Amino acid sequence: MNRPKTGVRRLAKYGRRVAVTIGASALAGCVQIETPDKPIEINLNINIRQEVVYRLDGDAKKLIEQNSEIF
């Protein structure tokens, strides 16, 4: 059963909202943002390695071995 809220409950709920709002606004004034003196350096040590794997038919492999100077 929903009972209508009494004036005291409404006042308490309103008071909590006001207290939270005042507390949040007080904390918001404490934040300071400053730019750094030096540029921000991001060092990414990334090694990229590519491997190519191929298989040759027996005849093609013999042909390459016989004519190695052209490859």
Side-chain angles (χ1 to χ4, degrees):
M1 180 183 264
N2 293 332
R3 293 185 297 171
K5 294 184 178 181
T6 61
V8 175
R9 287 186 182 176
R10 285 184 188 164
L11 186 59
K13 188 175 181 180
Y14 179 73
R16 283 192 298 266
R17 286 183 184 172
V18 170
V20 169
T21 304
I22 290 172
S25 63
L27 291 176
C30 299
V31 177
Q32 294 179 353
I33 299 174
E34 295 180 15
T35 58
D37 296 336
K38 298 178 184 178
I40 298 172
E41 181 180 333
I42 300 173
N43 189 0
L44 300 175
N45 293 325
I46 299 174
N47 293 323
I48 299 174
R49 183 176 167 184
Q50 181 180 6
E51 293 183 19
V52 178
V53 179
Y54 60 94
R55 297 182 185 193
L56 296 175
D57 185 54
D59 293 336
K61 191 172 185 179
K62 287 179 188 176
L63 183 64
I64 290 172
E65 288 173 358
Q66 291 171 356
N67 299 314
S68 60
E69 66 277 351
I70 63 171
F71 292 103

